């Protein structure tokens, strides 16, 4: 009797279902409920207002600016991050001592704390004493205000995010490249396949599951970026570097408008869900697992 209960599949998956319900499903349903309310956490008042919070968000020009910033941030961090990781991984895929040393150096930023990374880059990007402006001046190029200017603040956090996540992406790409059987490349040599033919006809197709994994994780990471904005720019100047997660935080915990923040969270969840479905529908047909 005990063995029959233990072997019951519903019993085995019950702990996972309970944890998902407590930490994922319940917060979503709670946020959905609160999004239809005007909840003042200072006065402790609650009032049902229907879709008023959603209407206010859609009429808010700051929301559209933040959404635009988030899409630009996600596009450049994902595309540039994966392309750089693939190129670097191609050069470092051989298991040599020099390659292993470079891999360790590249992976180091990934294990550093967000505070350490942002403080370092804030010093590098300082308009007056920063090394980056010194290099630009040495090259005869105009200097930049970086994170202190509305024109370059978003670019600044994009650079920092790509740099911090590059090591992880490179290691994943190298692991995928090293898992490709060597006899396939040997067969390509016998057929006198060139480097570009081998790259586009063998390496990329066989690496597509790894790249698809990186695509999904990079999109999730870029859309949920918070620490780099909070530590470097606080969304400024003039919301030029503000991203949607930090914007939701500002509304909920700085302006104490929990209802509007919850509505923004629901819209954000829907947007990420749509992007995930599009990714799976388009790229899943091109990815084959053995």
């Amino acid at each position: 009797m005990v063995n029959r209960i233990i072997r019951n599949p519903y019993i085995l998956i019950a702990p996972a279902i309970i944890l998902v319900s407590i930490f994922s499903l319940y917060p979503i349903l709670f946020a959905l409920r609160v999004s239809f309310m005007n909840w003042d956490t200072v006065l402790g008042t609650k009032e049902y207002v229907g879709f008023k919070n959603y209407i206010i968000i859609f009429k808010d020009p700051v929301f559209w600016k933040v959404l635009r910033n988030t899409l630009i941030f996600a596009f450049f961090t994902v595309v540039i991050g994966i392309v750089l990781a693939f190129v670097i991984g191609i050069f470092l895929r051989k298991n040599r001592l020099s390659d292993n040393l470079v891999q360790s150096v590249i992976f180091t930023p990934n294990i550093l704390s967000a505070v350490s990374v942002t403080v370092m880059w804030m010093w590098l990007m300082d308009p007056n004493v920063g090394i980056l402006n010194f290099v630009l001046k040495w090259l005869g190029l105009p200097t930049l205000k970086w994170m202190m200017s509305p024109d370059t603040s978003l670019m600044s956090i994009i650079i920092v995010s790509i740099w911090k996540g590059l090591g992880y992406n490179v290691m994943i790409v190298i692991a995928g490249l090293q898992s490709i059987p060597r006899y396939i490349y040997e067969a390509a040599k016998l057929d006198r396949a060139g480097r570009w033919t081998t790259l586009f006809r063998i390496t990329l197709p066989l690496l597509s599951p790894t790249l698809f994994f990186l695509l999904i994780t990079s999109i999730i990471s870029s859309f949920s970026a918070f620490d780099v904005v909070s530590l470097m720019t606080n969304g400024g100047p003039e919301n030029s570097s503000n991203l949607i997660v930090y914007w939701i935080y500002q509304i909920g915990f700085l302006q104490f408008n929990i209802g509007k923040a919850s509505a923004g969270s629901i819209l954000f969840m829907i947007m990420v869900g749509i992007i995930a479905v599009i990714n799976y529908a388009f790229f899943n047909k091109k990815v084959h697992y053995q």
Side-chain angles (χ1 to χ4, degrees):
M1 182 67 179
V2 175
N3 291 335
R4 184 181 300 176
I5 295 175
I6 294 176
R7 293 176 182 176
N8 191 306
Y10 297 104
I11 299 297
L12 296 176
I13 66 173
I17 293 177
I18 293 173
L19 290 175
V20 169
S21 300
I22 294 175
F23 295 104
S24 295
L25 184 59
Y26 173 74
I28 292 174
L29 295 177
F30 180 78
L32 181 62
R33 173 175 171 267
V34 175
S35 68
F36 296 107
M37 301 171 61
N38 184 11
W39 188 350
D40 191 327
T41 56
V42 177
L43 300 177
T45 57
K46 300 178 183 178
E47 179 187 3
Y48 178 79
V49 293
F51 289 94
K52 182 180 178 180
N53 289 321
Y54 293 93
I55 296 173
I56 292 174
I57 288 177
F58 284 123
K59 291 183 178 180
D60 188 356
V62 175
F63 167 74
W64 295 107
K65 186 174 185 178
V66 169
L67 179 60
R68 172 181 168 273
N69 292 341
T70 304
L71 294 176
I72 294 174
F73 176 85
F75 176 80
F76 282 103
T77 53
V78 171
V79 173
I80 297 177
I82 293 179
V83 170
L84 283 178
F86 177 74
V87 173
I88 296 173
I90 290 292
F91 288 102
L92 300 179
R93 60 180 171 177
K94 296 181 180 179
N95 195 17
R96 297 177 298 193
L97 179 61
S98 58
D99 293 339
N100 293 335
L101 178 62
V102 176
Q103 290 174 25
S104 301
V105 173
I106 292 177
F107 188 74
T108 300
N110 191 69
I111 62 177
L112 297 176
S113 67
V115 176
S116 301
V117 170
T118 52
V119 168
M120 181 190 70
W121 276 98
M122 287 171 70
W123 177 69
L124 292 174
M125 292 179 174
D126 188 280
N128 299 317
V129 297
I131 294 178
L132 295 183
N133 273 353
F134 174 79
V135 173
L136 291 176
K137 188 181 298 184
W138 181 72
L139 294 173
L141 299 174
T143 58
L144 302 174
K145 293 184 179 180
W146 297 105
M147 55 190 176
M148 297 183 181
S149 170
D151 299 325
T152 56
S153 59
L154 184 60
M155 179 184 67
S156 301
I157 64 173
I158 288 174
I159 292 173
V160 176
S161 299
I162 292 174
W163 182 82
K164 191 176 189 308
L166 184 61
Y168 172 81
N169 292 345
V170 169
M171 298 303 293
I172 296 297
V173 169
I174 290 175
L177 289 170
Q178 292 179 346
S179 67
I180 299 176
R182 302 306 306 170
Y183 66 83
I184 298 180
Y185 291 108
E186 294 172 0
K189 283 185 178 180
L190 293 175
D191 290 337
R192 297 182 179 180
R195 290 185 177 181
W196 293 108
T197 302
T198 303
L199 177 65
F200 289 104
R201 295 296 183 88
I202 296 177
T203 304
L204 273 176
L206 293 178
L207 193 64
S208 59
T210 301
L211 296 178
F212 179 67
F213 167 78
L214 278 182
L215 177 66
I216 297 300
T217 55
S218 298
I219 288 175
I220 294 173
S221 176
S222 62
F223 273 98
S224 58
F226 176 86
D227 50 3
V228 65
V229 180
S230 176
L231 294 169
M232 288 189 69
T233 64
N234 287 325
E238 302 174 5
N239 288 305
S240 58
S241 63
N242 205 354
L243 304 181
I244 193 164
V245 172
Y246 189 74
W247 175 75
I248 292 171
Y249 160 78
Q250 287 179 319
I251 294 175
F253 295 95
L254 300 182
Q255 300 177 14
F256 304 104
N257 193 338
I258 302 299
K260 184 179 177 181
S262 299
S265 300
I266 296 299
L267 292 175
F268 173 65
M269 182 186 68
I270 294 173
M271 180 181 66
V272 174
I274 292 173
I275 293 175
V277 170
I278 293 174
N279 282 332
Y280 275 102
F282 181 75
F283 291 104
N284 198 36
K285 298 177 182 178
K286 303 178 184 300
V287 176
H288 302 281
Y289 295 87
Q290 293 182 349

